[in-house]
Amino acid sequence: AFSHGGSATVTNSTIRGNGAGLLFDQGGSATVLNSTLSGNATGLRFNKSGSATLQNTLLANGGQTTANCAFANGAPASAFSNGGHTLADDATCTGLVATAALGLDPAGLKDNGGPTKTIALLPTSPATSPAGTSA
């Protein structure tokens, strides 16, 4: 959470199962690269202000939660920007390619090789094809 400022770069990460994947409460900024925000009540929540740029990132809540992006108390939709190749499974984040299904492994976080648990992409995921990631 960013409260009244601060900044961070999130790289090669999975943020899952939180009230808000990233919460901007009256300020702060983040750059999110090569990451997945999945299964959070809200992927990105902006309260009054803050900013986030996402690149090569998936926002996936599967329609089971509030929204991938939420803007409250006057926070502008322009607080969010797509640095390229970012997909979402709803249309709440301005500038993203919204797709009905991102093709994440329904088993969720598991050992897919490497030092940490990750959520694998299914072979049918739009994130695996150049056409699906051109946003």
Side-chain angles (χ1 to χ4, degrees):
F2 299 88
S3 183
H4 302 283
S7 64
T9 299
V10 177
T11 305
N12 301 328
S13 298
T14 299
I15 299 173
R16 179 172 171 76
N18 299 286
L22 293 173
L23 170 64
F24 300 88
D25 188 21
Q26 301 182 45
S29 65
T31 301
V32 182
L33 306 167
N34 309 317
S35 296
T36 300
L37 283 76
S38 174
N40 301 295
T42 304
L44 302 171
R45 179 166 176 79
F46 300 92
N47 184 28
K48 295 186 181 177
S49 62
S51 65
T53 300
L54 277 64
Q55 184 173 340
N56 300 325
T57 294
L58 299 176
L59 288 163
N61 287 317
Q64 300 174 11
T65 56
T66 307
N68 283 312
C69 286
F71 305 91
N73 299 314
S78 62
F80 169 83
S81 65
N82 180 4
H85 307 288
T86 294
L87 298 171
D89 64 1
D90 72 13
T92 60
C93 300
T94 305
L96 285 189
V97 172
T99 181
L102 293 178
L104 297 179
D105 184 343
L109 287 171
K110 64 181 185 178
D111 184 356
N112 292 300
T116 61
K117 292 182 178 182
T118 57
I119 303 171
L121 294 173
L122 298 174
T124 56
S125 172
T128 63
S129 70
T133 58
S134 63

